[in-house]
Amino acid sequence: MTITAKRWITLSSAILTFSACASDTNNYSGSGSISQGAAKTIEANIFECENSRSRVAGIGEITDSEGKVWTVPAENNFASAPKAVDLYEECAGITPKSIAEVDQGSVPVVVVDPDGQEITGYIFADNYFELYINGALIAVDSVPFTPFNSSIVKFKVSKPYTIAVKVIDWEENLGLGSEDNRGKAFHPGDGGFIASFSDGTVTNADWQAQTFYTSPIYEPSCLKEVNDQRLSDGCTTEGTNNGQDAYAVHWQIPSDWMAQGFDSTSWPKASLYTEDEIGVNNKKAYMNFIDKFSGAGASFIWSTNVVLDNEVLLIYEVK
Ligand SMILES: [Ca+2]
Ligand SMILES: [Ca+2]
Ligand SMILES: [Ca+2]
């Protein structure tokens, strides 16, 4: 059998293309699983905004290089879990100018321990949070993506107790970790989480933060790991108009991560971010209640990369 010249060229270019892809993926040597390109949209939009404008909040699935399927931006309980009461939520027309205008007495109390202390929490997340106390899901954010909102929760619990929060920096380009923003079709959005509680607990560097989904990554060799630190500070955070082939790294979340007693001692400490870095000075959902956030001594926290880490778990034990 003879191979014509034309057929040989087609074959060899196919081999070259394949090895180029394979070597890019092989540049990644970390503990996660790597996928490339856009996810398949599973739900086009899980949130409708009546009185304002919101980015489309979809959910997708993507298959990694070994055939495992991952949900992006993250598995979540938005559809089924109780929503936190809104401090500020433009889609629902809830726009108080300060905490004094909020009827805090009407916020339902979730009982974790019947003889515990009643605690009020004030929360702002870019973009979405799910709050667990001692493994019990207290409430989830009422707005998954935008507009930016803020929340109030109440629960009854005895010390010591464990706060566990899943935070998601939502994405428009599912599986690609990006959104259409600042003139770029694939602009990597950023995250950020801040909260204070009436027992004096605040978000700070004593919390632990671990990423489970990092994207967009254009050159997997930029990723590093040191012990349990999943580092992407060597990776670009620039937007692009050609982000459709971006990589994403996924790590499996332990099923009992939110439980009291879960061993997170190897996780990194939370990284702190300023209000300027998160960009909240034009967000009324934050500024109208700033005395419950930075004014209460709380800091914005996330994992080590507030731009590229899109699904982050936060854990803190209140003594
Ligand atoms: Ca939100
Ligand atoms: Ca991001
Ligand atoms: Ca964001």
Side-chain angles (χ1 to χ4, degrees), residues 32-158:
S33 301
I34 198 154
S35 63
Q36 186 180 20
K40 176 183 169 194
T41 299
I42 299 301
E43 289 193 61
N45 189 12
I46 62 172
F47 179 74
E48 295 290 344
C49 182
E50 286 189 13
N51 299 307
S52 185
R53 289 162 55 85
S54 65
R55 287 184 184 272
V56 171
I59 295 176
E61 283 183 355
I62 191 161
T63 304
D64 69 27
S65 58
E66 301 195 323
K68 182 174 163 64
V69 177
W70 300 84
T71 299
V72 289
E75 288 184 7
N76 64 81
N77 296 293
F78 182 77
S80 58
K83 307 293 185 296
V85 171
D86 297 303
L87 279 177
Y88 193 98
E89 207 279 78
E90 289 170 0
C91 300
I94 299 168
T95 57
K97 292 184 176 60
S98 74
I99 193 68
E101 294 183 10
V102 177
D103 178 13
Q104 298 191 62
S106 67
V107 177
V109 181
V110 180
V111 176
V112 180
D113 295 319
D115 52 358
Q117 176 188 355
E118 185 180 306
I119 295 167
T120 305
Y122 307 90
I123 301 171
F124 175 92
D126 181 346
N127 297 95
Y128 174 79
F129 73 88
E130 299 192 338
L131 172 69
Y132 293 85
I133 301 294
N134 286 353
L137 182 53
I138 303 300
V140 304
D141 197 334
S142 65
V143 182
F145 201 168
T146 65
F148 289 95
N149 63 308
S150 50
S151 309
I152 179 170
V153 295
K154 287 187 179 181
F155 52 88
K156 202 174 215 189
V157 71
S158 303

Side-chain angles (χ1 to χ4, degrees), residues 55 125-128 145-146 148 168-171 179 188-192 302 306 310:
R55 287 184 184 272
D126 181 346
N127 297 95
Y128 174 79
F145 201 168
T146 65
F148 289 95
I168 303 173
D169 175 27
W170 217 276
E171 58 194 26
E179 61 198 34
D190 63 356
W302 201 257
V306 75
N310 304 319

